[in-house]
Amino acid sequence: VMRRNPFGMDICCRKGSRSPLQELYNPTQVSLSNTAILHQIRRDQVTDTCRANSMSSRKRRVLTPNDLKHLVVDEDHEMIYCYVPKVACTNWKRVMMVLTGRGKYSDPMEIPANEAHVSSNLKTLNQYSIPEINHRLKNYMKFLFVREPFERLVSAYRNKFTQKYNTSFHKRYGTKIVRRQRKNATQEALRKGDDVKFEEFVAYLIDPHTQREEPFNEHWQTVYSLCHPCHIHYDLIGKYETLEEDSNYVLQLAGVGNYLKFPTYAKSTRTTDEMTTEFFQNISSLHQTQLYEVYKLDFLMFNYSVPSYLKLE
């Protein structure tokens, strides 16, 4: 017996119904209109920060297709999602696979995590022609999710440098960090790069040589550089701190909220504010100040206050 997939019909063909963009800016439901105000405040914060900082960055950069590889496109629901690693992006990619799979998937959590990160499973904006890109940027609802910058950074460090299975990161970045930041490093540490200390990671991030050499890895790159919020007008900015509400709001706007909920599960290993405070204990105030400068735009743009544990110079 073939079970009818609830997504089969409604999810692929939303013609005739309102687009998420229309629903966001002119909500038909009262419950959606209160939330719309919150998101207007978040949008304004980004706009104001971009305006305040454009004076300093005299020349406005033109985006290239390479800048758009983090923007996942959902044609059927006319949405674009910019994914930021360490901000629930695995689950959001799973949800996007359900939304764009035309009935192939129905439960996001049945999709293995590694499959969610296979690039061919989702279509990104850089795969379109320039006119198609412009059309989508103008007519689709664009959203992203952000997180307190230093909590995201500690989360990336814990995941990539303290887990034994991440050997590719240890080889690619760990060995480089040890070579550059550790005096009298052992041959084994130089070869494996699997015992990078958080202090060494921070020193690597603020080293001007690092910035000149190559762009940051996406796991610790700024949201500002990954999603280009000063060039692309995001209609909706979700926060990791209110992940469930914000995610389900996006799904409601897409018209699928009745049968698709954002997956929630409490990860006991999740990086918290207390944990982040601990990691910063051994960072000198000079390095804290320099690191804050690197992530400053993310703090300002997404309305995160300077952490109380910082000792800025």
Side-chain angles (χ1 to χ4, degrees):
V1 179
M2 276 181 64
R3 281 184 311 166
R4 190 180 159 277
N5 186 330
F7 293 103
M9 286 260 309
D10 331 346
I11 218 153
C12 87
C13 325
R14 54 171 300 126
K15 296 293 161 260
S17 60
R18 288 160 58 87
S19 75
L21 207 54
Q22 292 168 322
E23 199 54 68
L24 173 67
Y25 290 107
N26 299 297
T28 44
Q29 301 170 41
V30 178
S31 61
L32 293 183
S33 54
N34 298 338
T35 317
I37 297 163
L38 166 73
H39 287 280
Q40 179 63 57
I41 294 167
R42 290 182 186 172
R43 280 195 296 276
D44 291 346
Q45 177 79 20
V46 172
T47 307
D48 294 346
T49 308
C50 291
R51 199 171 291 136
N53 287 278
S54 65
M55 304 306 160
S56 54
S57 63
R58 296 166 296 285
K59 185 159 143 293
R60 194 184 143 106
R61 200 162 79 74
V62 175
L63 293 183
T64 64
N66 194 42
D67 291 319
L68 306 174
K69 60 179 188 284
H70 272 247
L71 280 80
V72 175
V73 182
D74 173 0
E75 293 288 353
D76 297 328
H77 303 88
E78 300 186 353
M79 297 197 300
I80 296 174
Y81 159 59
C82 184
Y83 70 89
V84 178
K86 306 313 300 171
V87 192
C89 91
T90 305
N91 277 353
W92 257 111
K93 283 180 175 180
R94 285 169 162 146
V95 169
M96 292 301 276
M97 282 171 70
V98 172
L99 289 172
T100 58
R102 308 218 164 180
K104 191 172 162 190
Y105 311 95
S106 60
D107 178 1
M109 292 317 279
E110 281 175 6
I111 301 171
N114 58 347
E115 205 179 311
H117 296 292
V118 174
S119 54
S120 57
N121 282 333
L122 291 165
K123 195 155 185 195
T124 47
L125 198 57
N126 58 339
Q127 296 169 13
Y128 293 83
S129 70
I130 304 288
E132 288 172 333
I133 288 171
N134 289 332
H135 171 78
R136 282 157 185 74
L137 285 174
K138 194 171 146 211
N139 296 294
Y140 286 16
M141 183 177 86
K142 299 165 296 299
F143 69 97
L144 78 163
F145 276 77
V146 298
R147 181 178 188 177
E148 202 279 340
F150 285 170
E151 195 181 288
R152 178 177 164 240
L153 190 65
V154 168
S155 177
Y157 165 77
R158 289 178 65 219
N159 178 255
K160 300 304 171 197
F161 295 108
T162 68
Q163 305 286 344
K164 290 296 171 213
Y165 62 81
N166 265 322
T167 47
S168 61
F169 267 82
H170 303 156
K171 281 262 187 291
R172 172 98 172 72
Y173 295 100
T175 52
K176 189 184 291 183
I177 294 171
V178 170
R179 191 172 66 242
R180 230 186 264 169
Q181 307 301 338
R182 189 179 301 177
K183 291 184 178 69
N184 313 321
T186 64
Q187 284 306 309
E188 191 184 18
L190 288 165
R191 194 179 76 250
K192 284 188 168 173
D194 64 352
D195 65 344
V196 171
K197 297 183 178 70
F198 186 63
E199 298 87 289
E200 295 169 329
F201 178 53
V202 169
Y204 162 78
L205 294 174
I206 58 180
D207 182 350
H209 186 84
T210 304
Q211 303 265 17
R212 283 196 299 271
E213 190 177 55
E214 60 180 345
F216 275 2
N217 175 277
E218 60 176 18
H219 291 84
W220 48 85
Q221 179 61 282
T222 60
V223 178
Y224 173 76
S225 303
L226 286 177
C227 295
H228 316 286
C230 290
H231 294 78
I232 294 171
H233 172 82
Y234 286 93
D235 303 289
L236 203 137
I237 296 145
K239 293 202 161 189
Y240 193 69
E241 295 75 16
T242 48
L243 178 63
E244 212 174 323
E245 302 94 293
D246 293 346
S247 298
N248 287 322
Y249 178 56
V250 172
L251 297 174
Q252 254 181 302
L253 293 169
V256 299
N258 293 341
Y259 44 82
L260 179 57
K261 291 276 175 276
F262 191 77
T264 56
Y265 59 101
K267 265 173 91 173
S268 53
T269 56
R270 196 180 91 77
T271 302
T272 60
D273 187 42
E274 295 75 44
M275 218 178 267
T276 306
T277 306
E278 238 164 84
F279 273 89
F280 273 85
Q281 299 264 286
N282 300 330
I283 308 294
S284 70
S285 56
L286 173 63
H287 280 187
Q288 288 187 6
T289 305
Q290 291 172 312
L291 191 69
Y292 179 75
E293 281 304 313
V294 174
Y295 292 93
K296 187 177 175 179
L297 276 178
D298 280 5
F299 275 100
L300 296 173
M301 201 168 272
F302 306 118
N303 205 16
Y304 288 107
S305 49
V306 177
S308 56
Y309 55 78
L310 284 194
K311 308 177 285 286
L312 297 183
E313 296 203 337

